[in-house]
Amino acid sequence: PLGTIVFCLDDNLRLGELVRAGDRLVVATGGRGGRGNKHFATPVDRAPRRAEPGEPGQRRQLRLELKVMADVGLLGFPNVGKSTLIRAVSRARPKVADYPFTTLEPHLGVVTVGDSRRGLGRAFVLADIPGLIPGASAGAGLGLRFLKHLERTRLLLHLITVSSDPGRRPIDDYHALRRELRCFSPELAAHPEVVALTKSDLPDVREAFEAARADFVAIGKELRLVSAATRDGLADLMQELAEQLLL
């Protein structure tokens, strides 16, 4: 699949990657071919009993690593509504349930903004990865397996929500995952991002929004309010992502 990176298993040498349709990669060279008896024919000896053996080709064991190809990466703790959101804005169908790590593999969805039937729409690919937890950059949870899938994205959509844990604020979750991003890859942490508070259909989320927005204004960030269940705010959020990708 596009996004595949090829490594030599013996020395972990990176041999290349396939990122565009039609890309080809030579991972091992064939041996030099031998020559049959006809190559040694002479006017005197037209059927010589002589041949030259070929040489063995190169043998390699390979490790294939896939990093998904997406424009926007969904980022957040488990159960913030990432899978519900990608189901609401695309035809991707990841599993949705009320327990951590429902999503165990990346899911890609194509989001279309505008009227695609008249050729006026814009489309981008949205990637949903399993929820992250503190320590993800060191391998906690499913972090190391899936943080790499965000590296090819151009924009991050950071989802947070109101936790049932007393004293835990949305801004605290945001800072916790920003630390994980920086530990995993400073380059990934430097990606532009959009931050949204999800589950606005719940009363406690709506009540907490103004205080949460003030916390984000204090660090120079704008906080959006959306609900994937009722689709409130989703159209504006997808439009903003599409515009950001054009910058």
Side-chain angles (χ1 to χ4, degrees):
L2 294 185
T4 298
I5 307 172
V6 184
F7 296 88
C8 179
L9 192 60
D10 294 333
D11 54 10
N12 209 35
L13 176 67
R14 177 171 167 156
L15 302 177
E17 58 185 317
L18 307 171
V19 295
R20 290 176 297 273
D23 277 357
R24 302 179 67 183
L25 179 65
V26 176
V27 298
T29 57
R32 186 175 66 86
R35 294 186 295 172
N37 62 339
K38 71 175 183 178
H39 291 276
F40 300 95
T42 66
V44 177
D45 186 1
R46 296 183 176 273
R49 294 180 176 273
R50 178 185 173 192
E52 184 180 80
E55 297 176 353
Q58 191 175 22
R59 296 171 62 92
R60 269 185 169 150
Q61 289 184 301
L62 304 176
R63 177 171 63 86
L64 305 182
E65 180 178 304
L66 178 65
K67 290 183 182 179
V68 298
M69 307 284 287
D71 300 300
V72 180
L74 280 174
L75 178 68
F77 277 110
N79 286 354
V80 297
K82 299 187 304 301
S83 295
T84 305
L85 185 142
I86 198 172
R87 288 172 67 98
V89 299
S90 75
R91 293 186 178 182
R93 290 295 177 264
K95 183 179 179 181
V96 175
D98 189 20
Y99 55 84
F101 303 122
T102 305
T103 300
L104 297 176
E105 59 186 25
H107 292 272
L108 300 182
V110 178
V111 180
T112 302
V113 177
D115 191 348
S116 59
R117 292 173 296 181
R118 298 183 179 181
L120 302 176
R122 296 196 297 271
F124 59 87
V125 179
L126 185 64
D128 171 30
I129 69 166
L132 304 176
I133 62 175
S137 60
L142 302 173
L144 282 181
R145 287 179 57 190
F146 297 110
L147 271 170
K148 64 183 181 183
H149 290 294
L150 297 177
E151 291 183 309
R152 294 189 191 276
T153 60
R154 298 158 51 200
L155 178 65
L156 298 177
L157 175 54
H158 195 141
L159 301 184
I160 54 175
T161 194
V162 175
S163 171
S164 58
D165 296 343
R168 178 174 160 187
R169 301 179 301 160
I171 191 72
D172 298 329
D173 287 355
Y174 172 80
H175 285 311
L177 286 191
R178 290 297 304 175
R179 284 193 294 271
E180 295 303 324
L181 283 184
R182 288 192 295 269
C183 290
F184 178 77
S185 167
E187 293 79 11
L188 177 58
H191 282 20
E193 68 174 356
V194 173
V195 188
L197 187 71
T198 64
K199 305 184 181 181
S200 67
D201 52 295
L202 302 179
D204 57 337
V205 174
R206 292 196 301 273
E207 292 171 5
F209 176 64
E210 290 303 327
R213 180 164 64 176
D215 288 336
F216 279 87
V217 168
I219 62 172
K221 295 286 183 180
E222 181 182 352
L223 183 64
R224 293 85 175 160
L225 181 64
V226 300
S227 169
T230 63
R231 299 179 182 268
D232 288 343
L234 284 190
D236 290 341
L237 179 60
M238 295 302 109
Q239 179 68 40
E240 181 179 359
L241 295 177
E243 292 173 356
Q244 288 255 19
L245 291 170
L246 292 176
L247 298 179

